Amino acid sequence: MKKFLMAAALGTVAGVAVTTQVTGPLLAQDSASKSSVYEQLDLFGDIFERIRAQYVEEVEESELIEAAINGMLTSLDPHSSYLSANDFEDMRTQTSGEFGGLGIEVTQEEGYVKVVTPMDDTPADKAGMESGDFITGVDGKSIIGFTLEEAVELMRGPVGSEIILTVVREGVDEPFDVSIIRDTIKLTAVRARTEGDSVVLRVSTFNRQTYPNLESGLKKQMEELGGADNVNGIVLDLRNNPGGLLNQAIAVSDAFLDQGEIVSTRGRNPRDSERYNATEGDLSGGKPIVVLINGGSASASEIVAGALQDHGRAVVIGEKSFGKGSVQTVVPVRGDGAMRLTTSRYYTPSGRSIQALGVAPDIIVEQPPRVPAAEEAEEEENNNRPRRSEADLRGSLTNEDVSEDERAIIEAEREKAEATAELRKRDYQLAYALDILKGLEAIAAAE
């Protein structure tokens, strides 16, 4: 017992001795660091006073301070920023699902305003804006060099008013103008429909309506198909989905997983790390799932795609996603504004950080470029030319062994195949996803 106490005492003394040797320099460094910070703050105060007293025009002091705060935050990364009282209110309105504007999600890349995605059925979508477009001008005024907040403010305006965006698009030689009429944006978070024997869930955003919409939409479509036994699978369409609320991404992932990790977030302090796990229960009853993604799928969309991919729960097809793997915390501050600060990165169940890398699809399927109207009409004419088959040959044998019921089944299958072929012209990626589900159904039936 005495030996133990002694050893413990020696250990304590040794610890004190070692600590004492390094504490002096550490205290000196800490003191120097604080002194440097105070000097920099004094410098800020000097510059602020000089601007206020000598700038060529009188400036609003509160606006000057807000601009300084925003500059400090935006220098960190593209997603940290200061939200004024109006901007903070706009953000809360958007997550509720209805707001006024153009209907585009934008970010900043190397000083340029880049379209992450046009939202479904919004003015920007109908005007032909595409993911990856760069906006270089607003109403004839160049916005190159503007901050993201300045550019967004310039694009705001009353519902019903026109805005002209100058757009630079990859593959197009010259910049071109796009006219958009501002409107009230009413986002339907999830649109559910059937294509043949498959349920298609088009998830356009992750707001407070997303999971309730998905749950009710899936249930309704499965009932319309006559129950789960008549459903061959689900297509979860996350293309051009810019993300949104983390808890909704977790809920959507959980909807199709029975167990296991969905996502983890890791900040600078290990104690702030969080893990989110699935709970028992699969809304689809274990049906096969194909997830569709593209370059406009970001943030919360990537959480869902990554979780279902890592668990082998879904086949992910399309194009590499946007690669936003960071989490922002919105902190209200005095004056009714807020600070949006990047506080952590998120990781898929296998430990992947997709920041700047994106989610790579299991099968790469690119969406073909839109065919010009003249070429489409010519192609349609060629497809409608009559084609001869065995049944058209004079004297060909008939098939008397097929019953009327069997003929009806064959005809129904042919009609489904034709419908898929027609869909392929409008949305090649979605048609490909449906083909995968049919293939999986055929394999399951053969087992």
Side-chain angles (χ1 to χ4, degrees), residues 261-276:
E261 184 180 303
I262 293 172
V263 66
S264 63
T265 61
R266 305 176 202 171
R268 190 167 79 182
N269 190 333
R271 289 177 298 180
D272 295 332
S273 298
E274 296 279 353
R275 291 184 183 275
Y276 301 91

Side-chain angles (χ1 to χ4, degrees), residues 46-60:
D46 291 343
I47 292 173
F48 176 79
E49 289 298 333
R50 184 63 61 91
I51 292 171
R52 187 170 64 166
Q54 297 183 356
Y55 185 65
V56 65
E57 295 176 357
E58 189 173 345
V59 293
E60 185 67 39

